Amino acid sequence: MKNCSVRKIVLSSIGFLASLMLLIGLSFTVIKYDPGLKNELGAAMRQIGLSASGFDMLSFELPVTLKAFMLGLFTAGDYSVDFTAFEKIGGVISVLTLVTALLGITLTIVSFFCFSKKKSQSVATTFVVLSLVLAFVYAVASVIFVAVVKSDLKEVYKSAANATGTSGTSGSSGTSTSGQAELQAILSGFKTNMFVALILQLIFAVAYLVCVKTIAEKAGNVVCAGAGDGEKCAEGGKKKQNDDIFSVIGAEARVIELLTSYKKLCDEAVISSSDYIDKKISLLRYSGKKLRAELPAIVGKSSYWDTVQAEEAVTAALRGYKQLLDQGIISEGDFADKKAALLNCVVHG
């Protein structure tokens, strides 16, 4: 697995869920007829299945029962209608949605395990955006289709009512009122719930945007070399902090080398004794100040493993300063001061 982090897990998961929801969204109805009747007629109509989902539109045709029902409503008013254009548009959108959803599900999983954090985020971003766009397009197309069907039916029934009223009798007013009620009942039965899929995709898109803004790449990045007893799981996010610890303690080794070099220069008369003393005091004071002022705060944020390693570096520095003491390069007071700084800079019981 490529280096993993909380950010990568969250963003890849949202990309996967958005792609999965895009696939599930095809089960929502593009158009359906449900007058809301709770009697036997309503139950029978629901059993017939007067609806078309995104999966149904993969055939580039409305379901036979729904299409026959809608054509019957129009032909009752001597009005011909052709749904071919919408069937083709719905079919194309359904195919694109299905392909995008399957690709998104596959690639978000593959990218999580095989891609870097940056590439994995790019994949997740791509499919979150595509899912939102396709859900929006399908919702808009469905709403427009339902609106067009209702508008056309309204015109058909209005024309039929006018024709009846022209040749009508004294009872035509009552017939017209009855026809209006029938028309409203029919029109209210045509619905779509593709907008639900769009709302869910909007939620995923907002969640993704929030996570991108709020979740930063930090000390949770883990790269595992293997699962054996002697193999380590290196924490990439800890690297900088680890470097901070050893940049402070590790500098002590450089101070020891510099003091040895300056003493040698003094012995060779390259620099004077006063020059050497000034340089020694300056180096010891500066390194001691760094140990006391900076290291405790760094150690407080470090892992147990890093802290133990820092203790090992402390013991090495103490040995180095003891050698300087034995060689007469530093005094007992210098050694005691440095020892106190080193012993108190890491773990405090």
Side-chain angles (χ1 to χ4, degrees):
M1 182 192 300
K2 289 282 186 179
N3 48 338
C4 179
S5 66
V6 173
R7 179 187 174 93
K8 183 179 182 182
I9 292 171
V10 172
L11 298 185
S12 296
S13 297
I14 295 176
F16 171 80
L17 291 174
S19 301
L20 181 62
M21 182 49 63
L22 190 63
L23 180 63
I24 296 173
L26 287 173
S27 63
F28 290 100
T29 53
V30 177
I31 185 171
K32 66 177 178 178
Y33 184 73
D34 182 10
L37 299 175
K38 296 184 179 179
N39 53 22
E40 292 182 1
L41 177 59
M45 295 182 75
R46 283 189 290 273
Q47 189 173 6
I48 292 173
L50 299 177
S51 65
S53 68
F55 285 113
D56 293 325
M57 297 308 299
L58 288 170
S59 64
F60 288 79
E61 284 186 324
L62 290 168
V64 176
T65 52
L66 176 62
K67 191 172 183 178
F69 174 77
M70 293 170 67
L71 289 174
L73 291 175
F74 281 99
T75 55
D78 296 326
Y79 183 87
S80 61
V81 65
D82 187 4
F83 302 122
T84 305
F86 175 76
E87 288 174 327
K88 289 181 179 179
I89 293 172
V92 169
I93 299 175
S94 287
V95 170
L96 288 174
T97 300
L98 180 62
V99 172
T100 302
L102 294 176
L103 279 175
I105 291 170
T106 303
L107 289 179
T108 50
I109 294 174
V110 171
S111 68
F112 176 75
F113 289 101
C114 303
F115 293 1
S116 66
K117 288 178 290 186
K118 187 175 180 180
K119 289 184 179 179
S120 179
Q121 180 179 337
S122 297
V123 170
T125 302
T126 298
F127 284 101
V128 167
V129 172
L130 284 177
S131 297
L132 179 61
V133 170
L134 286 171
F136 174 77
V137 170
Y138 222 149
V140 170
S142 300
V143 170
I144 291 174
F145 182 53
V146 171
V148 169
V149 169
K150 286 184 176 182
S151 177
D152 288 349
L153 277 175
K154 192 172 183 179
E155 290 299 321
V156 169
Y157 275 76
K158 186 184 290 185
S159 299
N162 290 337
T164 303
T166 301
S167 61
T169 63
S170 57
S172 63
S173 177
T175 304
S176 176
T177 303
S178 175
Q180 286 294 325
E182 179 185 0
L183 173 60
Q184 290 302 321
I186 292 174
L187 294 181
S188 64
F190 284 100
K191 304 169 185 175
T192 180
N193 59 12
M194 269 296 176
F195 61 87
V196 177
L198 174 59
I199 292 172
L200 293 172
Q201 290 295 350
L202 278 170
I203 292 173
F204 283 123
V206 171
Y208 187 84
L209 184 61
V210 170
C211 291
V212 167
K213 296 291 185 181
T214 57
I215 302 177
E217 292 289 3
K218 43 188 173 183
N221 307 335
V222 180
V223 182
C224 293
D229 293 336
E231 293 171 326
K232 300 176 184 176
C233 207
E235 298 184 8
K238 302 280 186 180
K239 185 175 180 181
K240 186 178 184 304
Q241 206 157 57
N242 182 290
D243 289 344
D244 288 338
I245 291 174
F246 294 104
S247 66
V248 177
I249 298 179
E252 294 299 308
R254 296 294 301 148
V255 171
I256 293 169
E257 291 177 7
L258 285 170
L259 287 172
T260 304
S261 297
Y262 279 122
K263 183 61 170 70
K264 187 175 181 181
L265 290 175
C266 180
D267 293 340
E268 294 172 353
V270 176
I271 61 175
S272 66
S273 296
S274 61
D275 292 333
Y276 165 68
I277 292 171
D278 289 342
K279 187 59 69 174
K280 180 182 72 170
I281 292 172
S282 139
L283 283 170
L284 291 175
R285 283 181 179 175
Y286 182 74
S287 63
K289 181 180 177 181
K290 285 288 184 182
L291 288 174
R292 289 186 173 92
E294 296 185 5
L295 204 58
I298 299 173
V299 171
K301 299 177 183 179
S302 303
S303 69
Y304 173 72
W305 177 256
D306 290 339
T307 305
V308 171
Q309 285 187 308
E311 292 285 3
E312 293 175 357
V314 166
T315 60
L318 284 172
R319 289 193 184 95
Y321 281 114
K322 182 59 169 65
Q323 289 178 358
L324 293 182
L325 175 63
D326 294 340
Q327 294 169 11
I329 297 176
I330 62 174
S331 66
E332 287 279 358
D334 294 332
F335 176 72
D337 183 67
K338 183 59 68 175
K339 180 175 71 172
L342 285 168
L343 291 177
N344 288 283
C345 70
V346 182
V347 175
H348 303 282

